[in-house]
């Protein structure tokens, strides 16, 4: 008989994490699951009160899963993660910012700074941010000169009476996934945290990113997007690059020109006209390089 698989949970110090976050998030629950459909779906349904007979739930919750059977990416895409080789979690908390613009960018900034702290002035960062909220590992060897996708963020909000819960879902590649027959490699390849920091496992990465993530969300609630804009600009992967944006009805071409005070992407098009692209409206593709 094959030996029973070793339980993975002991690696996750859920109680230590709860204690670290509780001063900022009183009443927080931290939960671990071997498998769920999607950590975002679970927390969205929990907030809406669709779990069992419970009523809508405004208590903050961090749910980490080893594997998802129906992981969701942005724009209706699937998100695949591999047990032991991915960090897959969602955090839900009530939030009441004056304006919501820039929220998903704030998450990217918080993650990038936690995993790749700002280096000496002028030094190039190792983690870049691709609007609206992709993390990319930057390296000189990348064939396209811009790097490889390291992780992604899916932000959803749920109205609970007069209040709003935000569910922030994060997927990070810790180690390269085993090749799956028939599964196409991503267009620009995958980057992993192991390349940036060998030996950093998913539980340690979660313990590293969760406190600054909560801090950034709460700062965003108080102060909005503006204080995060300089850090974004320092890691903006699209600034000055030729881009094609694929919207629902048309494609737009231009050069990335940063983001505005609402976190919308700015694109310098023909005749120097600036197009403003609102988060979630389009996907961004880097133009093929020569
Ligand atoms: C993207 O790049 O398209 C966003 C990917 C977000 C994936 C994470 S994994 C944890 C959480 N649960 C999900 O179903 N999706 C997010």
């Amino acid at each position: 008989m094959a030996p029973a698989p070793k339980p993975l949970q002991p690696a996750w110090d859920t109680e230590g994490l709860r204690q670290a976050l509780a001063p900022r998030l009183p009443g927080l629950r931290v939960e671990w699951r071997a498998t769920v459909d999607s950590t975002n779906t679970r927390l969205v349904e929990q907030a809406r009160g669709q779990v069992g007979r419970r009523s809508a739930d405004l208590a903050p919750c961090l749910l980490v899963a080893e594997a998802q059977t129906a992981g969701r990416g942005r724009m209706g895409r699937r998100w695949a993660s591999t047990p032991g080789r991915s960090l897959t979690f969602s955090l839900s908390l009530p939030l009441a910012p004056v304006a919501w613009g820039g929220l998903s960018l704030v998450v990217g900034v918080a993650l990038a700074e936690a995993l790749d702290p700002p280096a000496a002035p002028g030094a190039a960062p190792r983690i870049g941010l691709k609007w609206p909220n992709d993390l990319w590992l930057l390296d000189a060897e990348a064939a396209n000169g811009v790097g490889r996708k390291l992780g992604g963020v899916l932000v959803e909000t749920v109205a609970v009476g007069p209040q709003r819960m935000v569910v922030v879902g994060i997927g990070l590649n810790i180690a390269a996934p085993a090749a799956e027959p028939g599964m196409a490699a991503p267009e620009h390849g995958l980057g992993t945290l192991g390349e940036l920091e060998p030996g950093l496992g998913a539980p340690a990465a979660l313990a590293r990113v969760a406190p600054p993530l909560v801090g950034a969300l709460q700062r965003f609630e108080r102060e909005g997007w503006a204080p995060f804009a300089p850090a974004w600009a320092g890691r903006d992967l699209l600034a000055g690059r030729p881009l094609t944006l694929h919207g629902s009805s048309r494609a737009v071409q231009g050069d990335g020109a940063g983001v505005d005070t609402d976190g919308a992407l700015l694109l310098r098009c023909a005749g120097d006209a600036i197009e403003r692209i609102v988060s979630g409206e389009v996907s961004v593709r880097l133009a093929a390089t020569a």
Side-chain angles (χ1 to χ4, degrees):
M1 203 164 79
K6 259 180 51 200
L8 292 161
Q9 182 174 14
W12 298 91
D13 181 11
T14 49
E15 177 52 20
L17 193 56
R18 193 196 63 76
Q19 285 177 16
L21 299 176
R24 284 179 175 275
L25 284 179
L28 173 75
R29 293 195 305 274
V30 178
E31 297 175 7
W32 174 93
R33 296 272 182 282
T35 307
V36 292
D37 50 358
S38 149
T39 54
N40 261 47
T41 304
R42 287 298 101 240
L43 295 193
V44 165
E45 292 192 355
Q46 187 168 287
R48 286 191 184 132
Q50 290 176 334
V51 182
R53 291 168 162 270
R54 293 172 67 156
S55 52
D57 190 351
L58 278 163
C61 187
L62 190 154
L63 174 61
V64 58
E66 212 72 53
Q68 298 184 119
T69 55
R72 295 189 285 117
R74 286 186 62 247
M75 313 200 70
R77 287 188 290 261
R78 270 191 62 221
W79 182 263
S81 38
T82 319
R85 300 184 185 207
S86 314
L87 172 59
T88 304
F89 75 100
S90 300
L91 171 71
S92 63
L93 71 163
L95 216 63
V98 172
W100 289 89
L103 171 59
S104 60
L105 284 66
V106 164
V107 175
V109 168
L111 295 173
E113 294 206 321
L115 295 167
D116 174 35
R126 292 292 317 277
I127 296 183
L129 294 167
K130 175 170 169 273
W131 185 92
N133 45 21
D134 274 9
L135 281 83
W136 281 42
L137 184 66
L138 308 177
D139 52 13
E141 303 88 53
N144 59 6
V146 293
R148 292 163 288 140
K149 183 159 173 168
L150 178 67
V153 177
L154 179 66
V155 177
E156 299 178 284
T157 64
V158 182
V160 181
Q163 287 177 282
R164 201 155 261 278
M165 285 290 273
V166 64
V167 177
V168 176
I170 292 167
L172 292 171
N173 307 323
I174 300 292
E180 274 186 49
M183 191 89 160
E187 189 183 358
H188 297 291
L190 285 180
T192 66
L193 270 181
E195 295 171 77
L196 188 66
E197 192 170 329
L200 183 71
L206 176 61
R208 176 94 58 88
V209 300
L213 173 63
V214 171
L217 291 169
Q218 293 181 333
R219 185 174 187 200
F220 173 77
E221 183 177 47
R222 292 189 309 270
E223 301 175 40
W225 156 244
F228 299 92
W232 175 274
R235 296 180 189 266
D236 185 350
L237 209 63
L238 303 184
R241 288 185 184 276
L243 307 174
T244 306
L245 289 117
H246 297 276
S248 50
S249 57
R250 60 188 187 128
V252 185
Q253 292 198 319
D255 289 342
V259 297
D260 72 6
T261 52
D262 295 323
L265 176 66
L266 300 176
L267 202 61
R268 190 177 306 282
C269 301
D272 255 8
I274 296 285
E275 281 249 13
R276 184 175 177 275
I277 311 295
V278 178
S279 179
E281 192 185 352
V282 288
S283 66
V284 179
R285 281 182 186 280
L286 296 167
T289 46

